[in-house]
Amino acid sequence: MYGRRLNRLAVDTAEAKVSLPEKYGPFYFDQPIDHFSLNETTFKHRYWANTDWYQPGGPVILYNAGETPADDRSLYVTNSTMAELARSLNGIVVVMEHRFYGESLPAPDFSAESLATLTTAQALEDMASFIKFLKFPELGAEIPPAPETKYIVYGGSYSGNLAAWMRQKYPHLVFAAVPSSAPVQMSYNFYQYFDPIRKYGPKHCINAIRATVLYADHILFSPVDQAKKRLKESFGMTERTHDDDFAEGRHYDIKIYSCIWCINTSALPPLFFFVLVSNQQH
């Protein structure tokens, strides 16, 4: 029962539609499918832009939405710290979608061959291409190119990595970068990410999450296929034939559960509760 409710909550959240005036987008930029090939084929790269506050000499704030469809994050062009900064500096805000997410699809499928261009190097070139060639026709005039126009690249988590690497790789294009929580030191199976929550979060929350993960792992690591089937059915995910795919898909549900359960039983702030504690630590 809990699984079905949580699954519905996650789906409802993912299907929620954002509302943004049409003048902010979405727009589509002709982006090369492969920046490192002589093939000049392009795809429609989706983005949003707010030029309301622009005055000559103002900066452009560029944000790559990272590993998710950018629909919800399109609101950042009007409601975010980036928008506030653009307003105070008489600048422009651009939110661009990452290739292979949302509607920004360089290929018609997700085969291994198609995903060959889903790389960090291609993503960085996408951003550099935006900086060099993106136009803002609603202004009625072209803005000066970088570095005369200062480009400030924002990002958080993986998107923050991109922001930091843009400043490092293209200092002639990027005036400044604001990388928030950017894990620029890559690590495999980085369970330490959750250690502060595991150590200092409310014990009843941590114990509930640990018990949930242990219960699911006990089933998934067992040889009993029928038990695995029932577990996947409870979450409406019988099509996930690979157990690790199923576990990854339920990562979000466990975080939601931990938030709801703990907020209802504790006066502590919800910062502590968006966690997933893996029994791999024991």
Side-chain angles (χ1 to χ4, degrees), residues 45-63:
H45 201 155
R46 189 165 62 150
Y47 72 98
W48 292 258
N50 181 354
T51 62
D52 288 352
W53 308 301
Y54 180 74
Q55 294 183 20
V60 175
I61 298 172
L62 176 63
Y63 169 73

Side-chain angles (χ1 to χ4, degrees), residues 5-210:
R5 287 208 299 264
L6 290 170
N7 190 58
R8 184 67 254 164
L9 176 59
V11 171
D12 288 344
T13 301
E15 292 179 350
K17 301 297 183 183
V18 298
S19 177
L20 194 67
E22 290 184 4
K23 70 175 183 175
Y24 300 123
F27 308 111
Y28 296 87
F29 175 77
D30 289 329
Q31 188 76 265
I33 292 176
D34 187 347
H35 292 280
F36 308 105
S37 168
L38 295 178
N39 188 331
E40 297 182 354
T41 306
T42 62
F43 70 96
K44 297 297 182 182
H45 201 155
R46 189 165 62 150
Y47 72 98
W48 292 258
N50 181 354
T51 62
D52 288 352
W53 308 301
Y54 180 74
Q55 294 183 20
V60 175
I61 298 172
L62 176 63
Y63 169 73
N64 188 315
E67 67 280 26
T68 184
D71 300 82
D72 290 346
R73 298 182 181 186
S74 66
L75 293 174
Y76 293 177
V77 299
T78 60
N79 185 14
S80 65
T81 54
M82 293 180 288
E84 290 302 312
L85 182 62
R87 184 199 301 268
S88 65
L89 297 178
N90 301 316
I92 297 171
V93 186
V94 177
V95 171
M96 61 178 290
E97 195 164 53
H98 196 289
R99 58 169 53 214
F100 281 102
Y101 289 91
E103 296 182 13
S104 300
L105 302 176
D109 57 48
F110 298 102
S111 65
E113 181 180 1
S114 295
L115 292 176
T117 60
L118 178 57
T119 67
T120 299
Q122 296 282 359
L124 293 173
E125 289 293 332
D126 287 344
M127 298 170 73
S129 185
F130 263 69
I131 293 174
K132 290 185 287 188
F133 304 117
L134 188 63
K135 308 297 183 184
F136 301 98
E138 60 272 24
L139 291 176
E142 292 189 11
I143 65 173
E148 184 177 350
T149 292
K150 293 179 172 58
Y151 280 79
I152 304 170
V153 183
Y154 262 73
S157 191
Y158 164 61
S159 178
N161 288 10
L162 295 176
W165 292 330
M166 282 296 294
R167 171 60 183 161
Q168 180 184 49
K169 186 174 182 180
Y170 306 99
H172 59 293
L173 296 178
V174 178
F175 172 74
V178 184
S180 176
S181 302
V184 292
Q185 180 177 342
M186 299 180 69
S187 177
Y188 177 73
N189 191 25
F190 184 39
Y191 67 83
Q192 295 94 335
Y193 181 90
F194 299 102
D195 273 355
I197 307 302
R198 180 176 63 85
K199 292 178 180 178
Y200 306 113
K203 294 303 180 185
H204 62 292
C205 291
I206 303 307
N207 291 338
I209 298 167
R210 182 181 289 115

